[in-house]
Short mmCIF file of all heavy atoms in Angstrom, two decimals:
data_model
loop_
_atom_site.label_atom_id
_atom_site.label_comp_id
_atom_site.label_asym_id
_atom_site.label_seq_id
_atom_site.Cartn_x
_atom_site.Cartn_y
_atom_site.Cartn_z
N MET A 63 3.33 -4.55 7.09
CA MET A 63 3.75 -5.29 5.93
C MET A 63 2.50 -5.16 4.78
O MET A 63 2.77 -4.94 3.63
CB MET A 63 3.95 -6.72 6.25
CG MET A 63 4.59 -7.60 5.14
SD MET A 63 5.35 -9.14 5.61
CE MET A 63 3.73 -10.01 5.98
N VAL A 64 1.38 -5.23 5.37
CA VAL A 64 0.21 -4.92 4.47
C VAL A 64 0.32 -3.56 3.85
O VAL A 64 0.03 -3.45 2.67
CB VAL A 64 -1.12 -5.21 5.02
CG1 VAL A 64 -2.35 -4.94 4.37
CG2 VAL A 64 -1.36 -6.82 5.46
N LEU A 65 0.31 -2.56 4.67
CA LEU A 65 0.29 -1.28 4.26
C LEU A 65 1.53 -0.86 3.30
O LEU A 65 1.31 -0.16 2.35
CB LEU A 65 0.43 -0.27 5.45
CG LEU A 65 -0.79 -0.41 6.40
CD1 LEU A 65 -0.60 0.66 7.70
CD2 LEU A 65 -2.02 0.03 5.66
N ILE A 66 2.72 -1.45 3.68
CA ILE A 66 3.74 -1.25 2.71
C ILE A 66 3.62 -1.80 1.31
O ILE A 66 3.71 -1.26 0.37
CB ILE A 66 5.15 -1.89 3.38
CG1 ILE A 66 5.54 -1.03 4.52
CG2 ILE A 66 6.21 -1.92 2.19
CD1 ILE A 66 6.64 -1.81 5.40
N LEU A 67 3.00 -3.05 1.35
CA LEU A 67 2.83 -3.80 0.09
C LEU A 67 1.71 -3.01 -0.75
O LEU A 67 1.77 -3.02 -1.97
CB LEU A 67 2.53 -5.22 0.32
CG LEU A 67 3.85 -6.00 0.57
CD1 LEU A 67 3.62 -7.35 0.96
CD2 LEU A 67 4.77 -6.03 -0.69
N GLU A 68 0.58 -2.66 -0.03
CA GLU A 68 -0.46 -1.88 -0.75
C GLU A 68 0.12 -0.64 -1.38
O GLU A 68 -0.20 -0.25 -2.40
CB GLU A 68 -1.59 -1.50 0.30
CG GLU A 68 -2.79 -0.95 -0.33
CD GLU A 68 -3.52 -1.84 -1.35
OE1 GLU A 68 -3.69 -3.02 -1.09
OE2 GLU A 68 -3.78 -1.50 -2.39
N THR A 69 1.02 0.06 -0.63
CA THR A 69 1.66 1.15 -1.30
C THR A 69 2.54 0.90 -2.38
O THR A 69 2.42 1.51 -3.44
CB THR A 69 2.60 1.89 -0.26
OG1 THR A 69 1.63 2.29 1.15
CG2 THR A 69 3.17 3.29 -0.62
N ILE A 70 3.22 -0.13 -2.34
CA ILE A 70 4.12 -0.52 -3.50
C ILE A 70 3.24 -0.96 -4.56
O ILE A 70 3.44 -0.65 -5.80
CB ILE A 70 5.08 -1.67 -3.07
CG1 ILE A 70 6.08 -1.10 -2.14
CG2 ILE A 70 5.76 -2.23 -4.28
CD1 ILE A 70 6.99 -2.02 -1.46
N ASN A 71 2.06 -1.76 -4.31
CA ASN A 71 1.25 -2.20 -5.34
C ASN A 71 0.59 -0.95 -6.12
O ASN A 71 0.49 -0.85 -7.35
CB ASN A 71 0.03 -3.01 -4.87
CG ASN A 71 -0.84 -3.66 -5.88
OD1 ASN A 71 -0.39 -4.05 -6.86
ND2 ASN A 71 -2.14 -3.44 -5.47
N THR A 72 0.20 0.16 -5.36
CA THR A 72 -0.32 1.38 -6.02
C THR A 72 0.71 2.00 -6.90
O THR A 72 0.40 2.35 -7.97
CB THR A 72 -0.79 2.31 -4.83
OG1 THR A 72 -1.82 1.64 -4.11
CG2 THR A 72 -1.37 3.64 -5.42
N LEU A 73 1.90 2.07 -6.28
CA LEU A 73 3.09 2.55 -7.13
C LEU A 73 3.22 1.85 -8.45
O LEU A 73 3.32 2.36 -9.56
CB LEU A 73 4.32 2.41 -6.34
CG LEU A 73 5.67 2.70 -6.98
CD1 LEU A 73 5.87 4.25 -7.34
CD2 LEU A 73 6.87 2.24 -6.28
N VAL A 74 3.24 0.46 -8.42
CA VAL A 74 3.37 -0.38 -9.64
C VAL A 74 2.15 -0.06 -10.46
O VAL A 74 2.53 0.18 -11.84
CB VAL A 74 3.46 -1.72 -9.24
CG1 VAL A 74 3.37 -2.73 -10.37
CG2 VAL A 74 4.76 -2.04 -8.63
N GLU A 75 1.00 -0.07 -10.00
CA GLU A 75 -0.21 0.23 -10.90
C GLU A 75 -0.03 1.59 -11.53
O GLU A 75 -0.30 1.68 -12.83
CB GLU A 75 -1.49 0.09 -10.08
CG GLU A 75 -1.75 -1.34 -9.76
CD GLU A 75 -3.06 -1.43 -8.92
OE1 GLU A 75 -3.68 -0.37 -8.63
OE2 GLU A 75 -3.51 -2.57 -8.77
N LYS A 76 0.33 2.62 -10.94
CA LYS A 76 0.32 3.95 -11.44
C LYS A 76 1.46 3.95 -12.44
O LYS A 76 1.29 4.59 -13.62
CB LYS A 76 0.69 4.97 -10.38
CG LYS A 76 -0.35 5.14 -9.30
CD LYS A 76 -1.33 6.03 -9.60
CE LYS A 76 -2.26 6.29 -8.41
NZ LYS A 76 -3.49 6.84 -8.78
N MET A 77 2.60 3.39 -12.26
CA MET A 77 3.58 3.23 -13.17
C MET A 77 3.37 2.59 -14.61
O MET A 77 3.57 3.07 -15.59
CB MET A 77 4.95 2.67 -12.59
CG MET A 77 5.66 3.52 -11.71
SD MET A 77 6.99 2.72 -10.88
CE MET A 77 8.03 2.28 -12.29
N MET A 78 2.57 1.41 -14.36
CA MET A 78 2.19 0.67 -15.44
C MET A 78 1.15 1.50 -16.32
O MET A 78 1.20 1.40 -17.47
CB MET A 78 1.58 -0.61 -15.04
CG MET A 78 2.57 -1.65 -14.38
SD MET A 78 3.83 -2.08 -15.72
CE MET A 78 5.18 -1.12 -15.42
N ASP A 79 0.21 2.18 -15.58
CA ASP A 79 -0.79 2.97 -16.32
C ASP A 79 -0.23 4.24 -17.16
O ASP A 79 -0.60 4.42 -18.03
CB ASP A 79 -1.89 3.52 -15.33
CG ASP A 79 -2.75 2.36 -14.80
OD1 ASP A 79 -2.81 1.40 -15.40
OD2 ASP A 79 -3.36 2.78 -13.72
N LEU A 80 0.80 4.63 -16.49
CA LEU A 80 1.63 5.73 -17.17
C LEU A 80 2.41 5.28 -18.41
O LEU A 80 2.25 5.91 -19.44
CB LEU A 80 2.72 6.38 -16.14
CG LEU A 80 3.54 7.62 -16.74
CD1 LEU A 80 2.47 8.81 -17.03
CD2 LEU A 80 4.44 8.10 -15.66
N MET A 81 3.05 4.09 -18.23
CA MET A 81 3.79 3.52 -19.27
C MET A 81 2.88 2.96 -20.52
O MET A 81 3.27 3.07 -21.58
CB MET A 81 4.69 2.42 -18.92
CG MET A 81 5.83 3.02 -17.88
SD MET A 81 6.71 1.81 -17.09
CE MET A 81 7.35 0.66 -18.28
N HIS A 82 1.67 2.42 -19.97
CA HIS A 82 0.94 1.74 -20.96
C HIS A 82 -0.58 1.99 -20.77
O HIS A 82 -1.30 1.33 -20.10
CB HIS A 82 1.03 0.24 -20.94
CG HIS A 82 2.45 -0.36 -21.32
ND1 HIS A 82 2.82 -0.35 -22.63
CD2 HIS A 82 3.42 -0.73 -20.52
CE1 HIS A 82 4.04 -0.84 -22.67
NE2 HIS A 82 4.37 -1.01 -21.48
N PRO A 83 -0.94 3.29 -21.21
CA PRO A 83 -2.50 3.66 -20.90
C PRO A 83 -3.46 2.78 -21.56
O PRO A 83 -4.52 2.65 -21.11
CB PRO A 83 -2.51 5.11 -21.38
CG PRO A 83 -1.19 5.44 -22.08
CD PRO A 83 -0.26 4.21 -21.83
N GLU A 84 -3.00 2.10 -22.67
CA GLU A 84 -4.02 1.27 -23.32
C GLU A 84 -3.80 -0.11 -22.69
O GLU A 84 -2.83 -0.45 -22.05
CB GLU A 84 -3.73 1.08 -24.90
CG GLU A 84 -2.32 0.35 -25.22
CD GLU A 84 -1.08 1.25 -24.96
OE1 GLU A 84 -1.08 2.50 -24.64
OE2 GLU A 84 -0.02 0.58 -24.92
N TYR A 85 -4.76 -1.04 -22.98
CA TYR A 85 -4.74 -2.37 -22.39
C TYR A 85 -3.61 -3.09 -22.93
O TYR A 85 -3.13 -3.14 -24.13
CB TYR A 85 -6.02 -3.16 -22.82
CG TYR A 85 -5.90 -4.58 -22.27
CD1 TYR A 85 -6.08 -4.94 -20.96
CD2 TYR A 85 -5.46 -5.67 -23.18
CE1 TYR A 85 -6.09 -6.19 -20.50
CE2 TYR A 85 -5.48 -6.93 -22.70
CZ TYR A 85 -5.68 -7.32 -21.36
OH TYR A 85 -5.54 -8.53 -21.02
N ASN A 86 -2.92 -3.84 -21.95
CA ASN A 86 -1.70 -4.74 -22.27
C ASN A 86 -1.73 -5.85 -21.43
O ASN A 86 -1.83 -5.69 -20.24
CB ASN A 86 -0.56 -3.79 -22.02
CG ASN A 86 0.68 -4.54 -22.33
OD1 ASN A 86 1.03 -5.62 -21.89
ND2 ASN A 86 1.60 -4.11 -23.36
N ALA A 87 -1.75 -7.15 -21.96
CA ALA A 87 -1.88 -8.43 -21.07
C ALA A 87 -0.74 -8.32 -20.15
O ALA A 87 -0.98 -8.89 -18.99
CB ALA A 87 -1.87 -9.49 -22.18
N ILE A 88 0.53 -8.11 -20.48
CA ILE A 88 1.62 -8.18 -19.66
C ILE A 88 1.43 -7.22 -18.42
O ILE A 88 1.61 -7.55 -17.27
CB ILE A 88 2.91 -7.92 -20.31
CG1 ILE A 88 3.17 -8.91 -21.45
CG2 ILE A 88 4.04 -7.78 -19.30
CD1 ILE A 88 3.44 -10.29 -21.06
N VAL A 89 0.93 -5.96 -18.78
CA VAL A 89 0.68 -5.02 -17.62
C VAL A 89 -0.38 -5.53 -16.68
O VAL A 89 -0.23 -5.42 -15.46
CB VAL A 89 0.27 -3.66 -18.34
CG1 VAL A 89 -0.33 -2.67 -17.07
CG2 VAL A 89 1.38 -3.03 -18.88
#
Side-chain angles (χ1 to χ4, degrees):
M63 198 163 68
V64 170
L65 296 176
I66 289 166
L67 285 169
E68 185 66 47
T69 303
I70 292 170
N71 183 47
T72 300
L73 167 76
V74 169
E75 287 182 355
K76 299 272 187 201
M77 287 175 58
M78 291 294 99
D79 289 344
L80 182 64
M81 293 170 56
H82 295 282
E84 70 289 339
Y85 175 78
N86 182 300
I88 300 296
V89 169

